[in-house]
Amino acid sequence: MLAMVLREIGAALVPEERPDPDPGPGEVRIRVEACAVCRTDIHVIDGDLPQAVYPIVPGHEVVGRVEAVGAGVTAPRPGMRVGVPWLGHACGHCAYCETGRENLCDAPGFTGCTRDGGFASHLLAEAAFTIPLDARLDPVATAPLLCAGLIGWRTLRMAGDAGTVGLYGFGAAAHIVAQICRWQGRRVFALTRPGDRDAQDFARTLGAAWAGGSDEAPPEPMDAALIFAPDGNLVPRALGALRKGGRVVCGGIHMSDIPAFPYDRLWGERSVHSVANLTREDARTFFAVVPQAGLVTHTRTYALTRANEAVADHRSGGLRGAAVLVP
């Protein structure tokens, strides 16, 4: 097998030939068909996540076929198409797992962070944490749904029944959320990097009622603001753009420090929430919605050996949608 390995924080990914791994009890070996690049992969590369281990093969938006199964695995079966998301393990017995909140597990495992991920031709995954996928789906188009879609879905659900939703940072997650909002009958305001006309035009093609820079005031107060950009300065800015009772939801795993802000930004029963990881139930509900909402992902494909280029393009913010690696 071929893997693109991050040997230390801040280093370039390097190709490495390895023997095909043998699945242990409860595991499956997956032949990767496509793996999208996520902002979280950049955080792993930059050393922003204290739980990350090195060396590591990044990548947690994986679509592939099961090649072999370990002892005790009855599903998925060899030949089945599955997805492998960020949450790769939960203990199953802590207080969070026992109350349906496995995303907050006290002893979790994360694909491409604490265990090798999908920037490779093959990977091992816990069978119980794979997501069954329709064999007819396009692997490249589906890969971004495994995190950008799932985290976007969880973030949007935390916004409740908000009618007008602001999306701060119009990348892989926001371009999916915008389509869901349109399907649900919500209005979307897209707030991009200041001066990024291309991203603003892209947002309008996906149904945004208004698009402008994050330094601009939207045309009217919003019911909710979803922040996908890892910039803590956006939190007080988004609070200031909300109606009373509005909610800011931070969808990223890492964000720069949030600056001090006056209490009147929060007063009026406004609130700030964070999204932590995802659950298998999120995957079940989201993938039921995908065909109903007619979601279309916008992607740019790269050969696996061009992983560094794909990461750089994602980091620059110049992509329309998601970068996807194909072995």
Side-chain angles (χ1 to χ4, degrees), residues 138-164:
D138 174 17
V140 170
T142 303
L145 301 179
L146 270 298
C147 187
L150 284 171
I151 289 297
W153 174 244
R154 186 173 180 88
T155 303
L156 179 60
R157 292 176 77 186
M158 290 186 70
D161 60 359
T164 301

Side-chain angles (χ1 to χ4, degrees), residues 170 192 196-208 211 320:
F170 206 83
T192 72
D196 192 344
R197 304 302 182 195
D198 185 63
Q200 293 162 21
D201 290 342
F202 182 39
R204 293 187 192 97
T205 69
L206 296 176
R320 278 196 171 197

Side-chain angles (χ1 to χ4, degrees), residues 4-9 13 18 35-36 38-62 84-89 108-119 123-124 147 253-254 277:
M4 297 299 293
V5 182
L6 176 67
R7 292 181 176 163
E8 60 184 11
I9 292 171
L13 301 166
R18 299 176 171 181
C35 183
C38 178
R39 172 63 61 175
T40 304
D41 297 316
I42 295 175
H43 292 316
V44 171
I45 292 169
D46 291 347
D48 295 327
L49 307 183
Q51 65 268 48
V53 299
Y54 304 90
I56 191 72
V57 178
H60 57 274
E61 295 181 296
V62 187
V84 184
W86 171 249
L87 186 65
H89 170 80
F110 301 115
T111 309
C113 180
T114 65
R115 59 182 297 151
D116 284 340
F119 287 13
L123 83 159
L124 296 178
C147 187
I253 192 172
H254 174 79
N277 313 313

Side-chain angles (χ1 to χ4, degrees), residues 197-228:
R197 304 302 182 195
D198 185 63
Q200 293 162 21
D201 290 342
F202 182 39
R204 293 187 192 97
T205 69
L206 296 176
W210 175 86
S214 60
D215 58 341
E216 300 178 53
E220 63 185 66
M222 303 179 297
D223 300 309
L226 314 185
I227 300 179
F228 296 109

Side-chain angles (χ1 to χ4, degrees), residues 85-140:
W86 171 249
L87 186 65
H89 170 80
C91 73
H93 54 74
C94 69
Y96 299 106
C97 286
E98 289 183 343
T99 53
R101 295 176 291 168
E102 64 187 12
N103 60 307
L104 302 178
C105 175
D106 283 332
F110 301 115
T111 309
C113 180
T114 65
R115 59 182 297 151
D116 284 340
F119 287 13
S121 61
H122 296 76
L123 83 159
L124 296 178
E126 287 193 20
F129 285 84
T130 60
I131 299 169
L133 295 175
D134 190 324
R136 298 167 293 182
L137 292 175
D138 174 17
V140 170

